[in-house]
Coordinates of all heavy atoms in Angstrom, one line a residue:
Y1 N 0.9 -1.2 0.0 CA 0.0 0.0 0.0 C 0.9 1.2 0.0 O 2.1 1.1 0.3 CB -0.9 0.0 1.3 CG -2.1 -0.8 1.2 CD1 -2.1 -2.2 1.1 CD2 -3.4 -0.2 1.2 CE1 -3.3 -2.9 1.0 CE2 -4.6 -0.9 1.2 CZ -4.5 -2.3 1.1 OH -5.7 -3.0 1.0
R2 N 0.3 2.4 -0.3 CA 1.0 3.6 -0.1 C 0.1 4.7 0.3 O -1.1 4.7 0.2 CB 1.7 4.0 -1.5 CG 0.7 4.4 -2.6 CD 1.5 4.7 -3.9 NE 0.6 5.1 -4.9 CZ 1.0 5.2 -6.2 NH1 2.2 5.0 -6.6 NH2 0.1 5.6 -7.1
Q3 N 0.7 5.7 1.0 CA 0.0 6.9 1.5 C 0.8 8.1 1.2 O 1.9 8.3 1.7 CB -0.3 6.7 3.0 CG -1.3 7.8 3.5 CD -1.8 7.4 4.9 OE1 -1.3 6.6 5.6 NE2 -2.9 8.0 5.2
A4 N 0.2 9.0 0.4 CA 0.8 10.3 0.1 C 0.2 11.3 1.1 O -0.8 11.1 1.7 CB 0.5 10.7 -1.3
P5 N 1.0 12.4 1.3 CA 0.5 13.4 2.3 C -0.9 13.9 1.9 O -1.2 14.2 0.8 CB 1.5 14.5 2.1 CG 2.8 13.8 1.7 CD 2.3 12.7 0.8
G6 N -1.8 13.9 2.9 CA -3.2 14.4 2.7 C -4.1 13.4 2.0 O -5.2 13.8 1.7
K7 N -3.6 12.2 1.7 CA -4.4 11.3 1.0 C -4.6 10.0 1.8 O -3.8 9.7 2.7 CB -3.8 10.9 -0.3 CG -3.8 12.1 -1.3 CD -3.3 11.6 -2.7 CE -3.4 12.8 -3.7 NZ -2.9 12.3 -5.1
E8 N -5.6 9.2 1.5 CA -5.9 8.0 2.1 C -4.9 6.9 1.7 O -4.3 7.0 0.6 CB -7.3 7.5 1.9 CG -8.4 8.3 2.5 CD -9.7 7.7 2.3 OE1 -9.9 6.7 1.6 OE2 -10.7 8.3 2.9
R9 N -4.6 5.9 2.5 CA -3.8 4.8 2.1 C -4.5 4.0 1.0 O -5.7 3.7 1.1 CB -3.5 3.9 3.4 CG -2.4 2.9 3.1 CD -2.1 2.2 4.4 NE -1.6 3.0 5.5 CZ -1.0 2.6 6.6 NH1 -0.9 1.2 6.8 NH2 -0.5 3.4 7.5
E10 N -3.7 3.7 0.0 CA -4.3 2.9 -1.1 C -3.5 1.7 -1.5 O -2.3 1.7 -1.3 CB -4.4 3.8 -2.4 CG -3.0 4.3 -2.9 CD -3.1 5.0 -4.2 OE1 -4.2 5.0 -4.9 OE2 -2.1 5.5 -4.7
G11 N -4.2 0.7 -1.9 CA -3.6 -0.5 -2.3 C -2.8 -0.4 -3.7 O -3.5 0.1 -4.6
V12 N -1.6 -0.7 -3.7 CA -0.8 -0.6 -4.9 C -0.7 -1.9 -5.7 O -1.0 -1.9 -6.9 CB 0.6 -0.1 -4.6 CG1 1.5 0.0 -5.8 CG2 0.6 1.3 -3.9
S13 N -0.3 -2.9 -5.0 CA -0.2 -4.2 -5.7 C -0.1 -5.3 -4.6 O 0.4 -5.1 -3.5 CB 1.1 -4.3 -6.5 OG 1.2 -5.5 -7.1
C14 N -0.8 -6.4 -4.9 CA -0.9 -7.5 -4.0 C -0.7 -8.8 -4.7 O -1.0 -8.9 -6.0 CB -2.2 -7.5 -3.2 SG -2.4 -6.1 -2.1
I15 N -0.2 -9.9 -4.0 CA 0.0 -11.1 -4.7 C -0.5 -12.3 -3.8 O -0.2 -12.3 -2.6 CB 1.5 -11.3 -5.0 CG1 1.8 -12.6 -5.7 CG2 2.4 -11.2 -3.8 CD1 3.2 -12.7 -6.3
N16 N -1.2 -13.2 -4.4 CA -1.7 -14.3 -3.7 C -0.6 -15.3 -3.6 O 0.4 -15.2 -4.3 CB -2.9 -14.9 -4.5 CG -3.9 -15.6 -3.6 OD1 -3.5 -16.1 -2.5 ND2 -5.1 -15.8 -4.0
S17 N -0.8 -16.4 -2.8 CA 0.2 -17.4 -2.7 C -0.1 -18.7 -3.4 O 0.7 -19.3 -4.1 CB 0.5 -17.7 -1.2 OG 1.5 -18.7 -1.1
S18 N -1.4 -19.0 -3.3 CA -1.8 -20.3 -3.9 C -1.6 -20.5 -5.4 O -1.2 -21.5 -5.9 CB -3.3 -20.6 -3.5 OG -4.1 -19.6 -4.0
D19 N -1.9 -19.4 -6.1 CA -1.8 -19.4 -7.6 C -0.9 -18.3 -8.1 O -0.8 -18.2 -9.4 CB -3.2 -19.4 -8.2 CG -4.0 -18.1 -7.9 OD1 -3.4 -17.3 -7.2 OD2 -5.1 -18.0 -8.3
G20 N -0.4 -17.5 -7.3 CA 0.5 -16.4 -7.8 C -0.2 -15.3 -8.5 O 0.4 -14.4 -9.1
S21 N -1.6 -15.3 -8.3 CA -2.3 -14.2 -9.0 C -2.0 -12.9 -8.3 O -1.6 -12.8 -7.2 CB -3.8 -14.5 -8.9 OG -4.2 -14.6 -7.5
T22 N -2.1 -11.8 -9.1 CA -1.7 -10.5 -8.7 C -2.8 -9.5 -9.0 O -3.7 -9.7 -9.8 CB -0.4 -10.0 -9.4 OG1 -0.6 -10.1 -10.8 CG2 0.8 -10.9 -9.1
Y23 N -2.7 -8.4 -8.3 CA -3.5 -7.2 -8.5 C -2.6 -6.0 -8.5 O -1.7 -5.8 -7.8 CB -4.5 -7.0 -7.3 CG -5.2 -5.7 -7.3 CD1 -6.4 -5.5 -8.0 CD2 -4.7 -4.6 -6.6 CE1 -7.1 -4.3 -8.0 CE2 -5.3 -3.4 -6.6 CZ -6.5 -3.2 -7.3 OH -7.1 -2.0 -7.3
Y24 N -3.0 -5.1 -9.5 CA -2.3 -3.8 -9.6 C -3.3 -2.7 -9.7 O -4.3 -2.8 -10.4 CB -1.4 -3.7 -10.8 CG -0.2 -4.7 -10.8 CD1 -0.3 -5.9 -11.4 CD2 1.0 -4.3 -10.2 CE1 0.8 -6.8 -11.4 CE2 2.1 -5.2 -10.2 CZ 2.0 -6.4 -10.7 OH 3.0 -7.3 -10.7
A25 N -3.0 -1.6 -8.9 CA -3.8 -0.4 -9.1 C -3.6 0.1 -10.5 O -2.5 0.0 -11.1 CB -3.4 0.7 -8.1
D26 N -4.7 0.7 -11.1 CA -4.6 1.2 -12.5 C -3.4 2.2 -12.7 O -2.8 2.2 -13.7 CB -5.9 1.9 -12.9 CG -7.0 0.9 -13.1 OD1 -6.7 -0.3 -13.3 OD2 -8.2 1.4 -13.1
S27 N -3.1 3.0 -11.6 CA -2.1 4.0 -11.7 C -0.7 3.4 -11.9 O 0.3 4.1 -12.2 CB -2.1 4.9 -10.5 OG -2.0 4.2 -9.3
V28 N -0.5 2.1 -11.6 CA 0.9 1.6 -11.6 C 1.0 0.4 -12.6 O 2.1 -0.1 -12.8 CB 1.3 1.1 -10.2 CG1 1.2 2.2 -9.2 CG2 0.6 -0.2 -9.8
K29 N -0.1 0.0 -13.2 CA 0.0 -1.1 -14.2 C 1.0 -0.8 -15.3 O 1.0 0.3 -15.8 CB -1.4 -1.3 -14.8 CG -2.4 -2.0 -13.9 CD -3.7 -2.3 -14.6 CE -4.7 -3.0 -13.7 NZ -6.0 -3.1 -14.3
G30 N 1.8 -1.8 -15.6 CA 2.8 -1.6 -16.7 C 4.1 -1.0 -16.2 O 5.1 -1.0 -16.9
R31 N 4.1 -0.5 -15.0 CA 5.3 0.1 -14.4 C 5.9 -0.6 -13.2 O 7.1 -0.7 -13.0 CB 5.0 1.6 -14.0 CG 4.6 2.4 -15.2 CD 4.5 3.9 -14.8 NE 3.5 4.1 -13.7 CZ 3.8 4.7 -12.6 NH1 5.1 5.0 -12.3 NH2 2.9 4.9 -11.6
F32 N 5.0 -1.2 -12.4 CA 5.4 -1.9 -11.2 C 5.2 -3.4 -11.3 O 4.2 -3.8 -12.0 CB 4.5 -1.4 -10.0 CG 4.8 0.0 -9.5 CD1 5.6 0.9 -10.3 CD2 4.2 0.5 -8.3 CE1 5.8 2.2 -9.8 CE2 4.4 1.7 -7.9 CZ 5.2 2.6 -8.6
T33 N 6.0 -4.1 -10.7 CA 5.9 -5.6 -10.7 C 6.1 -6.1 -9.3 O 7.1 -5.8 -8.6 CB 7.0 -6.2 -11.6 OG1 6.8 -5.7 -12.9 CG2 6.8 -7.7 -11.7
I34 N 5.2 -6.9 -8.8 CA 5.2 -7.5 -7.5 C 5.7 -9.0 -7.7 O 5.4 -9.6 -8.6 CB 3.9 -7.5 -6.8 CG1 4.1 -7.8 -5.3 CG2 2.8 -8.3 -7.5 CD1 2.8 -7.6 -4.5
S35 N 6.5 -9.4 -6.7 CA 6.9 -10.8 -6.7 C 7.2 -11.2 -5.2 O 7.2 -10.4 -4.3 CB 8.2 -11.0 -7.5 OG 9.3 -10.2 -7.0
R36 N 7.3 -12.5 -5.0 CA 7.5 -13.0 -3.7 C 8.5 -14.2 -3.7 O 8.5 -15.0 -4.7 CB 6.2 -13.4 -3.0 CG 5.5 -14.5 -3.6 CD 4.1 -14.6 -2.9 NE 4.2 -15.0 -1.5 CZ 3.2 -14.9 -0.6 NH1 2.0 -14.4 -1.0 NH2 3.3 -15.3 0.6
D37 N 9.2 -14.4 -2.7 CA 10.1 -15.5 -2.5 C 9.7 -16.2 -1.2 O 10.1 -15.7 -0.1 CB 11.6 -15.0 -2.5 CG 12.6 -16.2 -2.4 OD1 12.2 -17.3 -2.0 OD2 13.7 -16.0 -2.8
N38 N 9.0 -17.2 -1.3 CA 8.5 -17.9 -0.1 C 9.6 -18.5 0.8 O 9.5 -18.6 2.0 CB 7.4 -19.0 -0.4 CG 6.1 -18.4 -0.9 OD1 5.8 -17.2 -0.6 ND2 5.3 -19.2 -1.6
A39 N 10.7 -18.9 0.1 CA 11.8 -19.5 0.9 C 12.4 -18.4 1.8 O 13.0 -18.8 2.8 CB 12.8 -20.0 -0.1
K40 N 12.3 -17.2 1.4 CA 12.9 -16.1 2.2 C 11.8 -15.3 2.9 O 12.1 -14.3 3.6 CB 13.6 -15.1 1.3 CG 14.8 -15.7 0.6 CD 15.6 -14.6 -0.2 CE 16.8 -15.2 -0.9 NZ 17.6 -14.2 -1.7
N41 N 10.5 -15.7 2.8 CA 9.4 -15.1 3.5 C 9.4 -13.6 3.1 O 9.2 -12.7 4.0 CB 9.5 -15.3 5.0 CG 8.2 -15.6 5.6 OD1 7.3 -16.1 5.0 ND2 8.1 -15.4 6.9

């Protein structure tokens, strides 16, 4: 998530574990990439 001054906290990108599915806010699609390494938590 992120929070800019004077604004509400908003979800930027999230990733599921079971199938690796992802979500991106429209404002960051194509620019941000989320990933996870379960071995490193």
Side-chain angles (χ1 to χ4, degrees):
Y1 275 67
R2 68 185 180 187
Q3 188 166 20
K7 295 188 177 181
E8 292 186 355
R9 193 174 296 191
E10 63 172 350
V12 175
S13 182
C14 295
I15 183 168
N16 207 337
S17 180
S18 58
D19 59 4
S21 58
T22 57
Y23 167 90
Y24 293 95
D26 288 342
S27 58
V28 306
K29 282 181 181 177
R31 300 188 298 122
F32 290 11
T33 303
I34 191 170
S35 61
R36 64 188 295 165
D37 184 339
N38 287 341
K40 296 182 178 180
N41 225 20

